[in-house]
Amino acid sequence: AQKITQTQPGMFVQEKEAVTLDCTYDTSDPSYGLFWYKQPSSGEMIFLIYQGSYDQQNATEGRYSLNFQKARKSANLVISASQLGDSAMYFCAMREGIGSGGSNYKLTFGKGTLLTVNP
Amino acid sequence: DADVTQTPRNRITKTGKRIMLECSQTKGHDRMYWYRQDPGLGLQLIYYSFDVKDINKGEISDGYSVSRQAQAKFSLSLESAIPNQTALYFCATSDSTARDTGELFFGEGSRLTVL
């Protein structure tokens, strides 16, 4: 079963408007982390924002905010005031513990959402 | 210079050839990972290593092998490349000693085409 689900293969938004990219996750681990990465057409992976499962407040980084709804297991990315340079693929990822001890992790990624910002 | 460097950045090869993708990092991180990206499938974990003596298979390790030559170097090999291994490959690192969110730091990617 998919652990990270991004249901929007593609999204369009007008420049200067806000957009929400959806992400739901599945885990039984009480301690986990959620990430969003951006991949422009040039291919590199750029870290945007992180939310820990115990964090009380939603994470924000500049124009990016993470709408964390723990009971719904959702971690949607909100981009405010979209810019043309925001056009890219966006990946949601979840940190999962591996092995015993709880100190080693891997990230599991969703399939991504391709965002296009129109002028 | 990039903190996580992958070589080669682009490679075209033929079915049956042996290919090695190399990754080196100057971040001093202990954990290293190899991921594969296919269009529409996101990133899938091939192998990961938490230190030089600890190497583990990921979700899609068949047809791949790895070597952790030093803390800073982690190589991915395709012993006999096949066309469905055509993909974008990422090396990534993370640091267990700092504020440990598990954030991955990625290389620029190696685009491999197998004909």
Side-chain angles (χ1 to χ4, degrees):
Chain A
Q2 274 188 304
K3 293 190 175 183
I4 293 284
T5 302
Q6 296 182 251
T7 57
Q8 307 152 314
M11 287 282 286
F12 293 88
V13 65
Q14 287 297 122
E15 194 177 8
K16 300 180 185 178
E17 293 185 350
V19 63
T20 298
L21 306 184
D22 294 341
C23 174
T24 58
Y25 60 91
D26 182 26
T27 183
S28 57
D29 190 341
S31 175
Y32 53 91
L34 297 154
F35 299 81
W36 279 91
Y37 283 84
K38 173 184 178 181
Q39 186 182 42
S41 58
S42 51
E44 72 268 30
M45 296 289 287
I46 302 167
F47 166 76
L48 294 178
I49 197 166
Y50 167 79
Q51 178 85 42
S53 59
Y54 295 121
D55 293 342
Q56 295 297 313
Q57 306 236 347
N58 286 344
T60 60
E61 292 283 352
R63 294 186 299 112
Y64 303 108
S65 60
L66 199 152
N67 184 1
F68 182 46
Q69 298 189 42
K70 198 169 183 177
R72 295 185 177 184
K73 295 188 173 180
S74 74
N76 298 339
L77 177 70
V78 180
I79 305 175
S80 63
S82 297
Q83 302 172 356
L84 296 177
D86 294 334
S87 293
M89 182 71 82
Y90 289 81
F91 291 101
C92 179
M94 179 173 66
R95 183 193 74 219
E96 299 180 271
I98 303 174
S100 60
S103 62
N104 286 319
Y105 311 116
K106 66 173 181 177
L107 260 61
T108 298
F109 287 81
K111 295 184 178 182
T113 295
L114 181 62
L115 177 66
T116 302
V117 180
N118 293 318
Chain B
D1 288 343
D3 294 327
V4 183
T5 303
Q6 294 183 229
T7 56
R9 295 289 312 282
N10 289 283
R11 182 72 183 267
I12 300 173
T13 191
K14 295 182 178 180
T15 297
K17 294 291 188 182
R18 183 177 186 272
I19 294 295
M20 179 180 288
L21 305 180
E22 298 185 342
C23 178
S24 63
Q25 50 118 345
T26 58
K27 299 186 76 68
H29 289 173
D30 48 349
R31 303 174 185 150
M32 297 187 75
Y33 307 78
W34 276 104
Y35 282 87
R36 166 180 170 161
Q37 183 182 7
D38 297 277
L41 293 181
L43 278 74
Q44 297 174 278
L45 185 60
I46 307 172
Y47 270 94
Y48 57 98
S49 170
F50 294 140
D51 64 41
V52 175
K53 296 182 180 179
D54 179 35
I55 293 178
N56 305 277
K57 293 182 177 181
E59 304 151 357
I60 56 163
S61 60
D62 288 349
Y64 301 95
S65 62
V66 291
S67 172
R68 184 88 184 260
Q69 301 95 321
Q71 187 184 34
K73 295 183 182 295
F74 193 36
S75 299
L76 176 72
S77 293
L78 289 67
E79 295 300 326
S80 179
I82 56 176
N84 76 1
Q85 292 177 312
T86 294
L88 180 60
Y89 290 85
F90 284 103
C91 175
T93 71
S94 70
D95 184 10
S96 67
T97 59
R99 177 181 172 265
D100 186 18
T101 66
E103 178 187 347
L104 293 181
F105 296 82
F106 284 88
E108 295 169 308
S110 295
R111 189 169 296 280
L112 176 66
T113 303
V114 183
L115 301 177

